[in-house]
Each structure stands twice: as structure tokens, then as C-alpha cells.
Amino acid sequence: MAMTGVLRPGHAQVRVLELDKAVAFYRDVLGLVETGRDAQGRVYFKCWDERDHNSYILRESDQAGIDFFGFKVLDGPTLDQLEKDLNDYGVETRRLPAGDLLETGERVRFTIPSGHEIELYATKTTVGNGIPTINPGPWCEDSERGIAPVRLDHTLLYGPNIAEVKKIFVDVLGFYLVERVLGEDGVSEAAIWLSCSHKVHDIAFAEYPEPGKLHHCSFLMDSWERVLRAGDILSMNKVPVDIGPTRHGVTRGCTIYAWDPSGNRFETFMGGYQPYPDYEPLTWTFDNFGQGLDYPQRKLHETFLTVVS
Ligand SMILES: [Fe+2]
């Protein structure tokens, strides 16, 4: 697939209750790489194998949750075009100046009907992954500290009006539907998995009455063994685990869900198949969503449906 338009998830800004505790958790247990702090007190992290300056930003607040989720687009003209396309569709956008987020260019921000803030941007300073670009080795010191995911993979957001959200992502931003769970009526979509790439999902949404909620941000591991090792590290550090290690029926991904010290759920994840935009989306019926969520146990975990930040 020629990569044009929206390239990939680029960053998430997540609210945490106690910054120092959160920084220690994400640095030492999750094993992210701290790359900077700004005048607003925000702390910037990246996963070890990401090459751009930051992907996961912590902001101290009295309420956990997500401030915004951003996608990197191909280049400046693409950013301008997508902004115009959003406006033509009726989505209001606003520009945030370059440097507002450390080492990041101008961002186009908009609110989607689920109540979430989504951003597009074209530039972020390349800092590399700790491995040279000439005769690179396969890993480095940062890849062996803590859980050490390779990249920020996707997010699942809970909010209302996901049918409208889907139209914006598919009709305007060039995403395609990979999988969906039908509601009890057998017609409406209760949850959707959307891709802008060759991955099983770059963003997902579930219908939920309260707007703007975070279900989880997901971090990619490069093997099932590394997911199991993540489970060991979570237990060694007494981190509250929600689900797993197990495999989803939806996306075929292998997963562990757990909570950070502020109650934000995160996922350590690997696998899934490689979809293309011409594939027919896969559908899960409402009565079988337990298998979609946890394939071996066929269990509809109550927390998955009700606990968000
Ligand atoms: Fe996920």
C-alpha cells in the first residue's frame, strides 16, 4: 500500500493525578523513554523503537482521562488538504502553533461527535530509536528496560454518536472499517475498529453515553513472549491487571489490559492480521461479543464495558 494521507497514530496526551508517581510508572515499569518536559509541566515520552520525539505525554490534573489523540500525516500540503476537507464536511478545526507541543509542528485540532479531541500534524523532530541508521543492530539498552513496547499502537475511545464519528474517519480522513460489533438490535454498531494503514486498528470507538472517555491507549510488543513478560513485570510491580494475558477474537490481537496509578487503562498488545481497504469488514454479533473480547474464555468482562477514565 502506498502510504499517503494520515500515516499513523502519533501521540496521546493523558491526564494523571500525581505526576511524579506517573512518571516513575511509565519510565520504570512500562519502560518508556523520557524525552522532555515543557513550561506547562507536561512530561514527554516515546516508546524505544519510535523515531519521533514524543508519543505519550502526561499532564497532571485532578481527573484522569485523555486530552487528545494525534495522527501524523504525510506532509504539510496533506495537512492543509485534510483541514480543508474537514471544514468542507462541516467539522470546525483550529490550529495550534508549532512548538506548543515540544518538537512538534503546527497541529490541526477538532472535536468529533463522541466528544474527543483529535489532532493532525505533519512534523515532529526525529530523534531516532537509539540504533544507528547505518548498519543498525536489532535492539538497544532502552528496549530491555521495563516492559519496553516498540510503539504507541492505537487507542480505544468511548463516547456517543460513533456512527457520525465513523463517517468523519472514513469519508474525510481516509480510514476504513476493519471490524465491528453490532448492537442488540442487530443493525447499529456498538463498536468499530478503524485503520489508516495495514494494521488491524489505528483507532477504535465504542458507543457510550458519556462523551470524551478513554478506554485505553495500546502499546505494541513485538512477540507473544514479550506480552507474557509484560504480565510478569506488571505482577512484580503489583500493577492492577484488568484482563489477560489472552487473545481477542476481534483483531486476533494478544493482549493484557492494566491500569496506570491514576486509573487510565493501557494495553500491551501484539499480533493481529494484516487487512487491506478492499477487505469486507468482519462482524461480531452482540450475543457473541464475549468471544470477540476474550477468545479462549468467551467472557464479556464487566470492567471492559463499564470502567473508563
Ligand atoms: Fe486495544
Side-chain angles (χ1 to χ4, degrees), residues 126-146:
T126 299
V127 296
N129 59 359
I131 297 172
T133 52
I134 297 174
N135 303 326
W139 51 271
C140 63
E141 203 177 308
D142 283 335
S143 69
E144 303 307 302
R145 184 173 37 78

Side-chain angles (χ1 to χ4, degrees), residues 5-8 11 68-73 78-84 86 93-96 104-110 117-123 169 172-173 175:
V6 180
L7 295 183
R8 61 173 177 271
H11 57 236
F68 52 81
F69 194 81
F71 290 91
K72 193 172 195 187
V73 307
T78 303
L79 185 66
D80 296 342
Q81 184 63 51
L82 288 169
E83 182 180 35
K84 184 179 178 306
L86 284 163
T93 57
R94 54 208 178 278
R95 288 241 175 185
L96 289 107
T104 306
E106 257 193 311
R107 291 131 64 208
V108 171
R109 186 183 289 180
F110 52 99
E117 300 287 298
I118 301 294
E119 297 186 346
L120 306 175
Y121 67 95
T123 57
F169 276 87
V172 186
L173 299 176
F175 286 60

Side-chain angles (χ1 to χ4, degrees), residues 52-115:
D52 288 351
H53 180 271
N54 59 73
S55 62
Y56 199 75
I57 302 126
L58 302 181
R59 179 174 76 83
E60 192 169 48
S61 168
D62 56 8
Q63 198 180 8
I66 189 163
D67 282 335
F68 52 81
F69 194 81
F71 290 91
K72 193 172 195 187
V73 307
L74 183 64
D75 53 20
T78 303
L79 185 66
D80 296 342
Q81 184 63 51
L82 288 169
E83 182 180 35
K84 184 179 178 306
D85 294 345
L86 284 163
N87 297 156
D88 289 349
Y89 188 81
V91 177
E92 241 178 73
T93 57
R94 54 208 178 278
R95 288 241 175 185
L96 289 107
D100 173 77
L101 207 56
L102 280 189
E103 305 294 333
T104 306
E106 257 193 311
R107 291 131 64 208
V108 171
R109 186 183 289 180
F110 52 99
T111 308
I112 55 175
S114 57

Side-chain angles (χ1 to χ4, degrees), residues 18 50 54 98 227:
E18 293 173 75
E50 290 169 328
N54 59 73
V227 176

